[in-house]
Amino acid sequence: MLTAKENFLETLKKDGRPDRLVNQYQPFVPIMNDPLQRYTRGNRVRGTTSIDKWGTEILFPEDAPGPMPHVTNENKVCPDITRWKEYVKVPDLAANCSQGWEDALASAAAVDRSEKLVMGFMGTGVFEQCHFLMGFEDTLMNFLLEPEAMHELVDAVAEYRFQYAKLLVDNLKPDVILSHDDWGSKRSLFMQPDTWREFFKDHYKRIYGYMKDHGVIVIHHADSFCEPIVEDMVDIGIDVWQGVLPENDIVKLQKQLDGRMTLMGGIDATIDRKDSTEEEIRADVRRACSTYGPGGHYIPCMTYGLAGTIYPRTDEVIADEIDRYNKETYGV
């Protein structure tokens, strides 16, 4: 029987030989106490409302899977994109995060890397940061109405994102980085594919290129409909698309990708409810495993951007059902 790490690495290989489906985040140990996390996301505490380093109000209700921006006409950081330099103050990562890596390095050193992979984490991607500053409507409209100013802002945010990645790679030296940026809703991209390519593709190619140049596996979270740009996602260096919603034609994508990118997700988040039954949860997990597992290069997973669910019982049942499927199907 392969270790969790070995099985994941085999799943990524084009002609790999995994002996079972990877069980969600089982191969990874996320390191969440690095100075980048503390500086940029230390305000995000469940059950609180806070202001982040960019000036955005962040809500984190008790019953939410994660923190969310609360942007209104009254509190938006950037009310006028043509004057964005007056409003947006990019946090200085080099000044605030170059030191203080001792705790994170100790956490990474405690990981048995023969069994597990050390995972670094990067939340709030380039597109997300833009709508954190001005809201969804302004962001999407400004791509069309003020493209020059939006290019300038995106360039500034992307440079910040590159510096974040560089500090994380250079100091933590993780095996894997989980990087977030949601590019679509459940049934469509937030913008035309060519708009995404114009504003974001080259920046991500640079960011993920740095990771891959240093031997880091790139996992990109987007619990979105991303079918129209899936080839671009391969081009920019994504090894694993985490959060792939079942609204995407996952079976078709598996055939199209032919092992060039692994799909991680497929379990419907609507099963994570207080009133969901064990039978309902197991049925959806079994649907995902039996539908997508045979196509290969697939990891069954809740589509949230980190391990766990709102209701802990949901995650326990999901993990157990994946184990049951593996034992019944692969004897492991």
Side-chain angles (χ1 to χ4, degrees), residues 78-88 130 133-134 138-139 141-157 198-199 203:
C78 183
D80 182 352
I81 186 60
T82 65
R83 299 167 58 195
W84 72 269
K85 291 180 182 178
E86 299 175 31
Y87 299 113
V88 178
C130 290
L133 295 172
M134 65 186 79
D138 284 7
T139 301
M141 289 299 292
N142 285 331
F143 285 133
L144 302 176
L145 299 178
E146 297 292 346
E148 183 176 348
M150 277 300 291
H151 268 295
E152 292 177 359
L153 176 61
V154 169
D155 289 352
V157 173
E198 176 186 346
F199 283 89
H203 288 306

Coordinates of all heavy atoms in Angstrom, one line a residue, residues 78-88 130 133-134 138-139 141-157 198-199 203:
C78 N -11.7 51.5 -2.9 CA -11.4 52.2 -4.1 C -12.7 52.6 -4.8 O -13.2 51.9 -5.7 CB -10.5 51.4 -5.1 SG -10.0 52.2 -6.6
P79 N -13.2 53.8 -4.6 CA -14.5 54.2 -5.2 C -14.3 54.7 -6.6 O -15.3 54.8 -7.4 CB -15.0 55.3 -4.3 CG -13.7 55.9 -3.7 CD -12.8 54.7 -3.5
D80 N -13.1 55.0 -7.0 CA -12.8 55.5 -8.4 C -11.5 54.9 -8.9 O -10.4 55.2 -8.5 CB -12.7 57.1 -8.3 CG -12.5 57.7 -9.7 OD1 -12.3 57.0 -10.7 OD2 -12.5 58.9 -9.8
I81 N -11.7 54.0 -9.9 CA -10.5 53.3 -10.4 C -9.5 54.2 -11.1 O -8.3 53.9 -11.0 CB -11.0 52.2 -11.4 CG1 -9.8 51.3 -11.8 CG2 -11.7 52.7 -12.6 CD1 -9.1 50.6 -10.7
T82 N -10.0 55.3 -11.6 CA -9.0 56.2 -12.3 C -8.1 56.9 -11.3 O -7.1 57.5 -11.7 CB -9.8 57.3 -13.1 OG1 -10.6 58.1 -12.3 CG2 -10.7 56.6 -14.2
R83 N -8.5 56.9 -10.0 CA -7.7 57.5 -9.0 C -7.2 56.4 -8.0 O -7.0 56.7 -6.8 CB -8.5 58.6 -8.3 CG -8.9 59.7 -9.2 CD -10.0 60.6 -8.5 NE -9.5 61.1 -7.3 CZ -10.3 61.7 -6.4 NH1 -11.6 61.7 -6.6 NH2 -9.8 62.2 -5.3
W84 N -7.0 55.2 -8.4 CA -6.7 54.1 -7.5 C -5.5 54.3 -6.7 O -5.4 53.8 -5.5 CB -6.6 52.7 -8.3 CG -5.4 52.6 -9.1 CD1 -5.2 52.9 -10.4 CD2 -4.2 52.0 -8.7 NE1 -4.0 52.6 -10.9 CE2 -3.3 52.0 -9.8 CE3 -3.7 51.5 -7.5 CZ2 -2.0 51.6 -9.8 CZ3 -2.4 51.0 -7.4 CH2 -1.6 51.0 -8.6
K85 N -4.5 55.0 -7.2 CA -3.2 55.2 -6.5 C -3.5 56.0 -5.3 O -2.7 56.0 -4.3 CB -2.2 55.8 -7.4 CG -1.7 54.9 -8.5 CD -0.6 55.5 -9.4 CE -0.2 54.6 -10.5 NZ 0.8 55.3 -11.4
E86 N -4.5 56.9 -5.3 CA -4.8 57.7 -4.1 C -5.5 56.9 -3.0 O -5.3 57.2 -1.8 CB -5.8 58.8 -4.5 CG -5.2 59.8 -5.5 CD -6.3 60.8 -5.9 OE1 -7.1 61.2 -5.1 OE2 -6.2 61.3 -7.1
Y87 N -6.1 55.8 -3.4 CA -6.9 55.0 -2.4 C -6.3 53.7 -1.9 O -6.4 53.4 -0.8 CB -8.3 54.7 -3.0 CG -9.1 55.8 -3.4 CD1 -9.4 56.1 -4.7 CD2 -9.7 56.7 -2.4 CE1 -10.2 57.2 -5.1 CE2 -10.5 57.8 -2.8 CZ -10.8 58.0 -4.1 OH -11.6 59.1 -4.5
V88 N -5.6 53.1 -2.8 CA -5.1 51.7 -2.6 C -3.6 51.8 -2.1 O -2.8 52.3 -2.8 CB -5.2 50.8 -3.8 CG1 -4.6 49.5 -3.5 CG2 -6.6 50.7 -4.3
C130 N -9.0 42.4 -6.3 CA -9.6 43.6 -7.0 C -11.0 43.8 -6.5 O -11.4 44.9 -6.2 CB -9.6 43.3 -8.5 SG -8.0 43.4 -9.2
L133 N -11.5 45.3 -3.1 CA -11.2 46.7 -3.0 C -12.4 47.6 -3.5 O -12.5 48.7 -3.1 CB -9.9 47.1 -3.8 CG -8.6 46.5 -3.3 CD1 -7.5 46.7 -4.3 CD2 -8.3 47.1 -1.9
M134 N -13.2 47.0 -4.4 CA -14.2 47.9 -5.0 C -15.5 47.2 -5.3 O -16.5 47.8 -5.8 CB -13.7 48.4 -6.4 CG -13.4 47.4 -7.4 SD -12.6 48.1 -8.9 CE -11.0 48.2 -8.4
D138 N -18.2 47.0 -9.7 CA -17.2 47.9 -10.2 C -16.1 47.2 -10.9 O -15.6 47.7 -11.9 CB -16.7 48.7 -9.0 CG -17.7 49.8 -8.5 OD1 -18.8 49.9 -9.0 OD2 -17.3 50.6 -7.7
T139 N -15.7 46.1 -10.3 CA -14.5 45.4 -10.9 C -14.8 44.9 -12.3 O -14.1 45.2 -13.2 CB -14.2 44.1 -10.0 OG1 -13.8 44.6 -8.7 CG2 -13.0 43.4 -10.6
M141 N -17.2 45.9 -14.3 CA -17.5 47.1 -15.2 C -16.2 47.8 -15.6 O -16.0 48.2 -16.8 CB -18.5 48.0 -14.6 CG -19.9 47.5 -14.4 SD -20.6 47.2 -16.1 CE -20.8 48.8 -16.7
N142 N -15.3 47.9 -14.7 CA -14.0 48.6 -15.0 C -13.1 47.9 -15.9 O -12.3 48.5 -16.6 CB -13.3 48.9 -13.7 CG -13.9 50.0 -12.8 OD1 -14.5 50.9 -13.4 ND2 -13.8 49.9 -11.5
F143 N -13.3 46.6 -16.0 CA -12.5 45.8 -17.1 C -12.9 46.4 -18.5 O -12.1 46.4 -19.4 CB -12.8 44.3 -17.0 CG -12.1 43.6 -15.9 CD1 -12.9 42.7 -15.1 CD2 -10.8 43.8 -15.7 CE1 -12.2 42.0 -14.1 CE2 -10.2 43.1 -14.6 CZ -10.9 42.2 -13.8
L144 N -14.2 46.7 -18.6 CA -14.7 47.2 -19.9 C -14.6 48.7 -20.1 O -14.3 49.2 -21.1 CB -16.2 46.8 -20.0 CG -16.5 45.3 -19.9 CD1 -18.1 45.1 -19.9 CD2 -15.9 44.5 -21.0
L145 N -14.9 49.5 -19.0 CA -14.9 50.9 -19.1 C -13.6 51.6 -18.9 O -13.4 52.7 -19.4 CB -16.0 51.5 -18.1 CG -17.4 51.0 -18.4 CD1 -18.3 51.5 -17.3 CD2 -17.9 51.3 -19.7
E146 N -12.8 51.1 -18.0 CA -11.5 51.7 -17.7 C -10.3 50.7 -17.7 O -9.7 50.4 -16.7 CB -11.6 52.3 -16.3 CG -12.6 53.5 -16.1 CD -12.2 54.7 -16.9 OE1 -11.0 54.8 -17.3 OE2 -13.1 55.6 -17.0
P147 N -10.1 50.1 -18.9 CA -9.1 49.0 -18.9 C -7.7 49.4 -18.6 O -7.0 48.7 -18.0 CB -9.2 48.5 -20.4 CG -9.8 49.6 -21.1 CD -10.8 50.3 -20.2
E148 N -7.3 50.7 -18.9 CA -6.0 51.1 -18.7 C -5.7 51.2 -17.2 O -4.7 50.7 -16.7 CB -5.7 52.5 -19.3 CG -4.3 53.0 -19.1 CD -4.1 54.3 -19.8 OE1 -4.9 54.7 -20.7 OE2 -3.0 54.9 -19.6
A149 N -6.7 51.8 -16.4 CA -6.5 51.9 -15.0 C -6.6 50.5 -14.3 O -5.9 50.2 -13.4 CB -7.6 52.8 -14.4
M150 N -7.5 49.7 -14.9 CA -7.5 48.3 -14.3 C -6.3 47.5 -14.5 O -5.8 46.7 -13.7 CB -8.7 47.6 -14.9 CG -10.1 47.9 -14.2 SD -10.1 47.5 -12.4 CE -10.1 45.7 -12.5
H151 N -5.7 47.7 -15.7 CA -4.4 47.0 -15.9 C -3.3 47.5 -14.9 O -2.6 46.7 -14.3 CB -3.9 47.3 -17.3 CG -4.3 46.3 -18.3 ND1 -3.9 45.0 -18.3 CD2 -5.1 46.5 -19.4 CE1 -4.4 44.4 -19.4 NE2 -5.1 45.2 -20.0
E152 N -3.3 48.8 -14.6 CA -2.4 49.3 -13.6 C -2.6 48.6 -12.2 O -1.7 48.2 -11.5 CB -2.5 50.8 -13.5 CG -2.0 51.5 -14.7 CD -2.2 53.0 -14.6 OE1 -2.8 53.5 -13.5 OE2 -1.9 53.8 -15.5
L153 N -3.9 48.6 -11.8 CA -4.2 48.0 -10.5 C -3.9 46.5 -10.5 O -3.3 46.0 -9.5 CB -5.7 48.3 -10.2 CG -6.2 47.6 -8.8 CD1 -5.4 48.2 -7.7 CD2 -7.7 47.8 -8.7
V154 N -4.3 45.8 -11.5 CA -4.0 44.4 -11.5 C -2.5 44.1 -11.5 O -2.1 43.2 -10.8 CB -4.7 43.7 -12.8 CG1 -4.2 42.3 -13.0 CG2 -6.2 43.7 -12.7
D155 N -1.8 44.9 -12.2 CA -0.3 44.8 -12.2 C 0.2 44.9 -10.8 O 1.1 44.2 -10.4 CB 0.3 45.8 -13.1 CG 0.1 45.6 -14.6 OD1 -0.4 44.5 -15.0 OD2 0.4 46.4 -15.4
A156 N -0.3 45.9 -10.1 CA 0.2 46.2 -8.7 C -0.2 45.0 -7.8 O 0.7 44.6 -7.0 CB -0.4 47.5 -8.2
V157 N -1.4 44.6 -7.9 CA -1.8 43.4 -7.1 C -1.0 42.2 -7.4 O -0.6 41.4 -6.5 CB -3.3 43.2 -7.2 CG1 -3.8 41.9 -6.5 CG2 -4.1 44.4 -6.7
E198 N -6.3 38.5 -20.9 CA -5.7 39.8 -21.1 C -5.1 40.3 -19.7 O -4.0 40.8 -19.7 CB -6.6 40.8 -21.7 CG -6.1 42.2 -21.8 CD -7.1 43.2 -22.2 OE1 -8.2 42.8 -22.7 OE2 -6.9 44.4 -22.0
F199 N -5.9 40.1 -18.7 CA -5.6 40.7 -17.4 C -4.8 39.8 -16.5 O -4.0 40.3 -15.6 CB -6.9 41.2 -16.7 CG -7.4 42.5 -17.3 CD1 -8.3 42.5 -18.3 CD2 -7.0 43.7 -16.8 CE1 -8.8 43.6 -18.9 CE2 -7.5 44.9 -17.3 CZ -8.4 44.9 -18.3
H203 N 0.3 37.1 -15.6 CA 0.7 37.3 -14.2 C 0.8 35.9 -13.4 O 1.7 35.6 -12.7 CB -0.3 38.2 -13.4 CG -0.2 39.6 -13.8 ND1 1.0 40.3 -13.8 CD2 -1.1 40.5 -14.3 CE1 0.8 41.6 -14.2 NE2 -0.4 41.7 -14.5

